[in-house]
Amino acid sequence: QVQLVESGGGLAQPGGSLRLSCAASGFTFSRYAMSWARQAPGKGLEWVAGIYSDGSDTRYADPVKGRFTISRDNAKNTLYLQMNSLKPGDTAVYYCGKSYTSTDYRIQSSRGQGTQVTVSS
């Protein structure tokens, strides 16, 4: 059974940084593309970043490009999202997601419970 557990969220000041982690279990992590998505209050789910199964390719949504970095450690079955230069508009619940394939990083066939990120002074 697929299990994805996010952590690392919290309160950050504008311009600050946070690092999210997603611990994966119940499937062969190294075989699947992974991604992060977020949902702000009153808004729909927004894809944020994705990474190939082997880490060889990454993509970002325009609002976070140049500020966020997605990475993975296949030996530790863990996905990361380093978030720098945070803005109030980044406030959302962040979800880790598993794809159906090794390269379709825009799809989340399974999703974790989410971790809250709040950016405020």
Side-chain angles (χ1 to χ4, degrees), residues 5-71:
V5 180
E6 300 94 338
S7 62
L11 177 64
Q13 292 191 338
S17 298
L18 285 174
R19 189 194 196 200
L20 306 184
S21 298
C22 172
S25 61
F27 65 103
T28 305
F29 181 74
S30 62
R31 291 184 180 177
Y32 295 92
M34 299 291 294
S35 61
W36 289 95
R38 66 187 182 184
Q39 187 164 23
K43 297 189 177 181
L45 193 67
E46 174 189 27
W47 179 85
V48 171
I51 186 168
Y52 276 4
S53 60
D54 61 1
S56 63
D57 191 38
T58 58
R59 287 290 186 270
Y60 299 90
D62 286 345
V64 308
K65 204 171 291 184
R67 300 187 297 120
F68 290 10
T69 302
I70 188 172
S71 62

Side-chain angles (χ1 to χ4, degrees), residues 40-107:
K43 297 189 177 181
L45 193 67
E46 174 189 27
W47 179 85
V48 171
I51 186 168
Y52 276 4
S53 60
D54 61 1
S56 63
D57 191 38
T58 58
R59 287 290 186 270
Y60 299 90
D62 286 345
V64 308
K65 204 171 291 184
R67 300 187 297 120
F68 290 10
T69 302
I70 188 172
S71 62
R72 64 192 297 161
D73 186 335
N74 284 346
K76 295 183 178 179
N77 291 345
T78 303
L79 179 72
Y80 302 100
L81 185 69
Q82 178 66 44
M83 305 186 296
N84 298 330
S85 302
L86 284 164
K87 303 176 181 180
D90 295 320
T91 296
V93 177
Y94 283 72
Y95 297 94
C96 161
K98 168 192 171 293
S99 176
Y100 291 108
T101 74
S102 62
T103 57
D104 288 332
Y105 44 50
R106 293 187 182 271
I107 298 172

